[in-house]
Coordinates of all heavy atoms in Angstrom, one line a residue:
A387 N 22.1 -6.2 -11.8 CA 22.9 -7.4 -11.4 C 24.4 -7.2 -11.9 O 25.3 -7.6 -11.2 CB 22.3 -8.6 -12.0
K388 N 24.5 -6.6 -13.1 CA 25.9 -6.5 -13.6 C 26.8 -5.6 -12.7 O 28.0 -5.8 -12.7 CB 25.7 -5.8 -15.0 CG 27.0 -5.8 -15.8 CD 26.8 -5.3 -17.2 CE 28.2 -5.2 -17.9 NZ 28.2 -4.6 -19.2
T389 N 26.1 -4.6 -12.1 CA 27.0 -3.8 -11.2 C 26.9 -4.3 -9.7 O 27.2 -3.5 -8.8 CB 26.5 -2.3 -11.3 OG1 25.1 -2.2 -11.0 CG2 26.9 -1.7 -12.6
G390 N 26.4 -5.5 -9.6 CA 26.5 -6.1 -8.2 C 25.4 -5.7 -7.3 O 25.6 -5.8 -6.0
K391 N 24.3 -5.2 -7.8 CA 23.2 -4.8 -6.9 C 22.2 -5.9 -6.7 O 21.9 -6.6 -7.6 CB 22.5 -3.5 -7.5 CG 23.4 -2.4 -7.9 CD 24.2 -1.8 -6.7 CE 24.9 -0.5 -7.1 NZ 25.9 -0.6 -8.1
P392 N 21.8 -6.1 -5.5 CA 20.8 -7.2 -5.2 C 19.4 -6.9 -5.7 O 18.9 -5.9 -5.5 CB 20.8 -7.3 -3.7 CG 21.2 -6.0 -3.2 CD 22.1 -5.4 -4.2
V393 N 18.9 -7.9 -6.5 CA 17.6 -7.7 -7.1 C 16.7 -8.9 -6.8 O 17.1 -10.1 -6.9 CB 17.7 -7.6 -8.7 CG1 16.3 -7.3 -9.3 CG2 18.7 -6.7 -9.1
I394 N 15.4 -8.6 -6.4 CA 14.4 -9.6 -6.3 C 13.4 -9.4 -7.4 O 13.0 -8.2 -7.6 CB 13.8 -9.5 -4.9 CG1 14.7 -10.0 -3.8 CG2 12.4 -10.2 -4.8 CD1 14.6 -9.4 -2.5
S395 N 13.1 -10.4 -8.1 CA 12.1 -10.3 -9.2 C 10.8 -10.9 -8.8 O 10.8 -12.1 -8.4 CB 12.7 -10.9 -10.4 OG 11.7 -11.2 -11.3
L396 N 9.7 -10.2 -8.8 CA 8.4 -10.7 -8.5 C 7.6 -10.7 -9.8 O 7.4 -9.6 -10.4 CB 7.8 -9.9 -7.4 CG 6.6 -10.6 -6.7 CD1 6.6 -10.1 -5.2 CD2 5.3 -10.3 -7.3
K397 N 7.1 -11.9 -10.2 CA 6.3 -11.9 -11.4 C 4.8 -12.3 -11.1 O 4.6 -13.4 -10.4 CB 6.9 -12.9 -12.3 CG 8.1 -12.4 -13.0 CD 8.4 -13.1 -14.3 CE 9.6 -12.5 -14.9 NZ 10.7 -13.4 -15.2
L398 N 3.9 -11.5 -11.5 CA 2.5 -11.7 -11.3 C 2.0 -12.2 -12.7 O 2.1 -11.5 -13.7 CB 1.8 -10.4 -11.0 CG 1.7 -10.0 -9.6 CD1 1.2 -8.5 -9.5 CD2 0.9 -10.9 -8.7
P399 N 1.3 -13.3 -12.7 CA 0.7 -13.7 -14.0 C -0.3 -12.7 -14.5 O -0.5 -12.5 -15.7 CB 0.0 -15.1 -13.7 CG 0.6 -15.6 -12.4 CD 1.0 -14.3 -11.7
E400 N -1.0 -12.1 -13.5 CA -2.1 -11.1 -13.9 C -2.3 -10.3 -12.7 O -2.2 -10.7 -11.5 CB -3.3 -11.9 -14.2 CG -4.3 -11.2 -15.2 CD -5.5 -12.1 -15.4 OE1 -5.4 -13.4 -15.5 OE2 -6.6 -11.6 -15.4
I401 N -2.8 -9.0 -12.9 CA -3.2 -8.2 -11.7 C -4.7 -8.4 -11.6 O -5.5 -7.7 -12.3 CB -2.9 -6.7 -11.9 CG1 -1.4 -6.6 -12.2 CG2 -3.2 -5.9 -10.7 CD1 -1.0 -5.1 -12.6
D402 N -5.1 -9.2 -10.7 CA -6.5 -9.4 -10.5 C -6.8 -9.4 -9.0 O -5.8 -9.4 -8.2 CB -7.0 -10.7 -11.1 CG -6.3 -12.0 -10.6 OD1 -5.6 -11.9 -9.6 OD2 -6.4 -13.0 -11.3
P403 N -8.0 -9.3 -8.5 CA -8.3 -9.2 -7.1 C -7.6 -10.3 -6.2 O -7.0 -10.1 -5.2 CB -9.8 -9.2 -6.9 CG -10.3 -8.7 -8.3 CD -9.3 -9.2 -9.3
R404 N -7.7 -11.5 -6.8 CA -7.2 -12.7 -6.0 C -5.7 -12.5 -5.8 O -5.2 -12.7 -4.7 CB -7.5 -14.0 -6.7 CG -7.0 -15.2 -6.1 CD -7.5 -16.4 -6.9 NE -6.6 -17.5 -6.7 CZ -5.6 -17.9 -7.5 NH1 -5.5 -17.2 -8.7 NH2 -4.8 -18.9 -7.3
R405 N -5.0 -12.2 -6.8 CA -3.5 -12.1 -6.7 C -3.1 -10.9 -6.0 O -2.1 -10.9 -5.2 CB -2.9 -12.1 -8.1 CG -3.0 -13.5 -8.8 CD -2.2 -13.6 -10.0 NE -2.2 -15.0 -10.5 CZ -3.2 -15.4 -11.4 NH1 -4.1 -14.6 -11.8 NH2 -3.1 -16.7 -11.8
L406 N -3.9 -9.8 -6.1 CA -3.5 -8.6 -5.3 C -3.7 -8.9 -3.8 O -2.9 -8.5 -3.0 CB -4.3 -7.4 -5.8 CG -3.9 -6.1 -5.2 CD1 -2.4 -5.7 -5.6 CD2 -4.8 -4.9 -5.6
G407 N -4.8 -9.6 -3.5 CA -5.1 -10.0 -2.1 C -3.9 -10.8 -1.6 O -3.4 -10.6 -0.4
A408 N -3.4 -11.7 -2.4 CA -2.3 -12.5 -2.0 C -1.0 -11.7 -1.8 O -0.3 -11.9 -0.8 CB -2.0 -13.6 -3.0
L409 N -0.8 -10.8 -2.7 CA 0.4 -9.9 -2.6 C 0.4 -9.0 -1.3 O 1.4 -8.9 -0.7 CB 0.5 -9.0 -3.9 CG 1.8 -8.5 -4.3 CD1 2.8 -9.6 -4.6 CD2 1.7 -7.6 -5.6
I410 N -0.8 -8.5 -1.0 CA -0.9 -7.7 0.2 C -0.6 -8.5 1.4 O 0.2 -8.1 2.2 CB -2.4 -7.2 0.3 CG1 -2.6 -6.1 -0.8 CG2 -2.7 -6.6 1.6 CD1 -4.1 -5.8 -1.1
Q411 N -1.2 -9.7 1.5 CA -1.0 -10.6 2.6 C 0.5 -11.0 2.7 O 1.0 -11.1 3.8 CB -1.9 -11.8 2.5 CG -2.2 -12.5 3.8 CD -3.1 -11.7 4.8 OE1 -3.8 -10.8 4.4 NE2 -3.2 -12.2 6.0
F412 N 1.1 -11.2 1.6 CA 2.5 -11.6 1.5 C 3.4 -10.5 2.1 O 4.2 -10.8 3.0 CB 2.9 -11.9 0.1 CG 4.4 -12.2 -0.1 CD1 4.8 -13.5 0.3 CD2 5.3 -11.3 -0.6 CE1 6.2 -13.8 0.2 CE2 6.6 -11.6 -0.8 CZ 7.1 -12.9 -0.4
Y413 N 3.2 -9.3 1.7 CA 4.1 -8.2 2.2 C 3.8 -7.9 3.7 O 4.7 -7.5 4.4 CB 4.0 -7.0 1.3 CG 5.0 -7.1 0.2 CD1 4.6 -7.5 -1.1 CD2 6.4 -7.0 0.4 CE1 5.6 -7.7 -2.1 CE2 7.3 -7.2 -0.6 CZ 6.9 -7.5 -1.9 OH 7.8 -7.8 -2.8
E414 N 2.6 -8.1 4.1 CA 2.3 -7.9 5.5 C 3.0 -9.0 6.4 O 3.6 -8.6 7.4 CB 0.8 -8.0 5.8 CG 0.1 -6.7 5.2 CD -1.4 -6.7 5.4 OE1 -2.1 -7.7 5.7 OE2 -2.0 -5.6 5.1
N415 N 3.1 -10.2 5.9 CA 3.8 -11.2 6.6 C 5.3 -10.9 6.6 O 6.0 -11.0 7.6 CB 3.6 -12.6 5.9 CG 2.4 -13.3 6.5 OD1 2.4 -13.9 7.6 ND2 1.3 -13.2 5.7
V416 N 5.8 -10.5 5.4 CA 7.3 -10.2 5.3 C 7.7 -9.1 6.3 O 8.7 -9.2 7.0 CB 7.7 -9.9 3.8 CG1 9.1 -9.4 3.8 CG2 7.4 -11.0 2.9
T417 N 6.8 -8.1 6.3 CA 7.1 -6.9 7.1 C 7.1 -7.3 8.6 O 8.0 -7.0 9.4 CB 6.1 -5.8 6.9 OG1 6.1 -5.5 5.5 CG2 6.4 -4.6 7.7
A418 N 6.1 -8.1 9.0 CA 6.0 -8.5 10.4 C 7.2 -9.4 10.8 O 7.8 -9.2 11.8 CB 4.7 -9.2 10.6
L419 N 7.6 -10.3 9.9 CA 8.7 -11.2 10.2 C 10.0 -10.5 10.3 O 10.9 -10.7 11.1 CB 8.7 -12.3 9.2 CG 7.6 -13.3 9.3 CD1 7.6 -14.3 8.1 CD2 7.6 -14.2 10.6
T420 N 10.2 -9.5 9.4 CA 11.4 -8.7 9.4 C 11.5 -7.9 10.7 O 12.6 -7.8 11.3 CB 11.4 -7.7 8.2 OG1 11.2 -8.4 7.0 CG2 12.7 -6.9 8.1
G421 N 10.3 -7.4 11.2 CA 10.3 -6.7 12.4 C 10.8 -7.6 13.6 O 11.5 -7.2 14.5
Y422 N 10.4 -8.9 13.5 CA 10.8 -9.8 14.6 C 12.3 -10.1 14.5 O 12.9 -10.1 15.6 CB 10.0 -11.1 14.5 CG 8.5 -11.0 14.9 CD1 7.6 -12.0 14.5 CD2 8.1 -10.0 15.7 CE1 6.3 -11.9 14.9 CE2 6.8 -9.9 16.1 CZ 5.9 -10.8 15.7 OH 4.6 -10.8 16.1
I423 N 12.8 -10.2 13.3 CA 14.3 -10.4 13.2 C 15.0 -9.2 13.8 O 16.0 -9.3 14.5 CB 14.7 -10.7 11.8 CG1 14.1 -11.9 11.2 CG2 16.3 -10.9 11.7 CD1 14.5 -12.2 9.7
L424 N 14.5 -8.0 13.4 CA 15.2 -6.7 13.9 C 14.9 -6.4 15.4 O 15.4 -5.5 15.9 CB 14.7 -5.5 13.0 CG 15.1 -5.5 11.6 CD1 14.4 -4.4 10.8 CD2 16.6 -5.4 11.4
D425 N 14.0 -7.3 15.9 CA 13.7 -7.1 17.3 C 13.0 -5.8 17.6 O 13.3 -5.0 18.6 CB 14.9 -7.3 18.2 CG 14.5 -7.6 19.7 OD1 13.4 -8.1 19.9 OD2 15.3 -7.3 20.6
V426 N 12.1 -5.4 16.7 CA 11.2 -4.2 16.9 C 9.8 -4.7 16.9 O 9.5 -5.7 16.3 CB 11.4 -3.1 15.9 CG1 12.9 -2.6 15.9 CG2 11.1 -3.6 14.5
N427 N 8.9 -3.9 17.5 CA 7.5 -4.2 17.4 C 6.9 -3.6 16.1 O 6.8 -2.4 15.9 CB 6.7 -3.5 18.6 CG 5.2 -3.8 18.5 OD1 4.7 -4.4 17.6 ND2 4.5 -3.3 19.5
P428 N 6.6 -4.5 15.1 CA 6.1 -4.0 13.8 C 4.7 -3.4 13.9 O 4.3 -2.8 12.9 CB 6.1 -5.2 12.9 CG 6.2 -6.4 13.8 CD 6.6 -6.0 15.2
F429 N 4.0 -3.5 15.0 CA 2.6 -3.1 15.0 C 2.3 -1.8 15.8 O 1.2 -1.4 15.9 CB 1.8 -4.2 15.6 CG 2.0 -5.5 14.8 CD1 2.6 -6.6 15.5 CD2 1.7 -5.6 13.5 CE1 2.9 -7.8 14.8 CE2 2.0 -6.8 12.8 CZ 2.6 -7.8 13.4
D430 N 3.4 -1.1 16.3 CA 3.1 0.2 16.9 C 3.7 1.3 16.0 O 4.3 1.0 15.0 CB 3.6 0.2 18.3 CG 5.1 0.2 18.4 OD1 5.8 0.1 17.4 OD2 5.7 0.2 19.5
Q431 N 3.5 2.5 16.4 CA 4.0 3.7 15.6 C 4.2 4.9 16.5 O 3.6 5.9 16.3 CB 3.1 4.0 14.4 CG 1.6 4.3 14.7 CD 0.8 3.0 15.0 OE1 1.1 2.0 14.4 NE2 -0.1 3.1 15.9
P432 N 5.2 4.7 17.5 CA 5.4 5.8 18.4 C 5.7 7.2 17.8 O 5.3 8.2 18.2 CB 6.5 5.3 19.3 CG 7.1 4.2 18.6 CD 6.1 3.6 17.7
G433 N 6.5 7.1 16.7 CA 6.9 8.3 16.0 C 5.6 9.1 15.4 O 5.6 10.3 15.4
V434 N 4.7 8.3 14.8 CA 3.5 8.9 14.3 C 2.7 9.5 15.4 O 2.2 10.6 15.3 CB 2.7 7.8 13.5 CG1 1.4 8.4 13.0 CG2 3.5 7.1 12.4
E435 N 2.6 8.8 16.5 CA 1.8 9.3 17.6 C 2.4 10.6 18.2 O 1.7 11.5 18.5 CB 1.7 8.2 18.8 CG 1.2 6.8 18.4 CD -0.2 6.8 17.7 OE1 -0.9 7.8 17.9 OE2 -0.5 5.8 17.0
Q436 N 3.7 10.6 18.2 CA 4.4 11.8 18.7 C 4.0 13.0 17.8 O 3.7 14.1 18.4 CB 5.9 11.6 18.7 CG 6.7 12.8 19.2 CD 6.4 13.1 20.6 OE1 6.9 12.5 21.6 NE2 5.5 14.1 20.9
G437 N 4.0 12.8 16.5 CA 3.6 13.9 15.6 C 2.2 14.3 15.9 O 1.9 15.5 15.9
K438 N 1.3 13.3 16.1 CA -0.1 13.6 16.3 C -0.2 14.5 17.6 O -1.0 15.4 17.7 CB -0.9 12.3 16.4 CG -1.1 11.6 15.1 CD -2.1 10.4 15.3 CE -2.3 9.7 14.0 NZ -3.3 8.6 14.1
N439 N 0.5 14.0 18.6 CA 0.4 14.7 19.9 C 0.9 16.2 19.9 O 0.3 17.1 20.5 CB 1.2 13.9 21.0 CG 0.5 12.6 21.3 OD1 -0.7 12.5 21.0 ND2 1.2 11.7 21.8
Y440 N 2.0 16.4 19.1 CA 2.5 17.8 19.0 C 1.4 18.6 18.3 O 1.1 19.8 18.6 CB 3.8 17.8 18.1 CG 5.0 17.4 18.9 CD1 6.1 16.9 18.2 CD2 5.1 17.6 20.3 CE1 7.3 16.6 18.9 CE2 6.3 17.2 20.9 CZ 7.4 16.7 20.2 OH 8.5 16.4 20.9
T441 N 0.8 18.0 17.2 CA -0.3 18.8 16.5 C -1.4 19.1 17.4 O -1.9 20.2 17.4 CB -0.8 18.0 15.3 OG1 0.4 17.6 14.5 CG2 -1.7 18.8 14.4
Y442 N -1.8 18.1 18.2 CA -2.9 18.4 19.2 C -2.6 19.5 20.1 O -3.4 20.4 20.3 CB -3.2 17.1 20.0 CG -3.8 15.9 19.3 CD1 -3.5 14.6 19.7 CD2 -4.6 16.1 18.1 CE1 -4.0 13.5 19.0 CE2 -5.1 15.0 17.4 CZ -4.8 13.7 17.9 OH -5.2 12.6 17.2
G443 N -1.3 19.5 20.6 CA -0.9 20.5 21.5 C -0.9 21.9 20.8 O -1.5 22.9 21.4
L444 N -0.4 22.0 19.6 CA -0.3 23.3 18.9 C -1.7 23.8 18.6 O -1.9 25.0 18.5 CB 0.5 23.1 17.6 CG 2.0 22.9 17.8 CD1 2.7 22.6 16.5 CD2 2.6 24.2 18.4
M445 N -2.7 22.9 18.4 CA -4.0 23.3 18.0 C -4.9 23.6 19.3 O -6.1 23.8 19.2 CB -4.7 22.2 17.1 CG -4.1 22.1 15.8 SD -4.1 23.6 14.7 CE -5.8 23.5 14.2
G446 N -4.2 23.4 20.5 CA -4.9 23.8 21.7 C -5.8 22.7 22.2 O -6.8 23.0 23.0
R447 N -5.6 21.4 21.9 CA -6.5 20.4 22.4 C -6.2 20.3 23.9 O -5.1 20.2 24.3 CB -6.2 19.1 21.7 CG -7.1 17.9 22.1 CD -6.8 16.7 21.3 NE -7.6 15.6 21.8 CZ -7.6 14.4 21.3 NH1 -6.9 14.1 20.2 NH2 -8.3 13.4 21.9
P448 N -7.3 20.2 24.7 CA -7.1 20.1 26.2 C -6.2 18.9 26.5 O -6.3 17.9 25.9 CB -8.5 19.9 26.7 CG -9.4 20.4 25.7 CD -8.7 20.2 24.4

Side-chain angles (χ1 to χ4, degrees):
K388 191 174 176 187
T389 53
K391 309 298 191 299
V393 187
I394 286 151
S395 160
L396 196 151
K397 286 204 173 123
L398 278 169
E400 208 180 321
I401 305 175
D402 59 16
R404 176 175 156 263
R405 291 193 173 88
L406 189 61
L409 203 58
I410 290 166
Q411 201 74 10
F412 177 72
Y413 274 101
E414 290 179 345
N415 273 282
V416 172
T417 304
L419 291 169
T420 306
Y422 287 160
I423 301 180
L424 293 173
D425 200 21
V426 298
N427 176 0
F429 306 116
D430 65 3
Q431 54 284 325
V434 178
E435 306 303 341
Q436 181 61 79
K438 287 186 180 183
N439 291 339
Y440 282 156
T441 306
Y442 295 149
L444 289 170
M445 294 298 282
R447 185 173 172 179

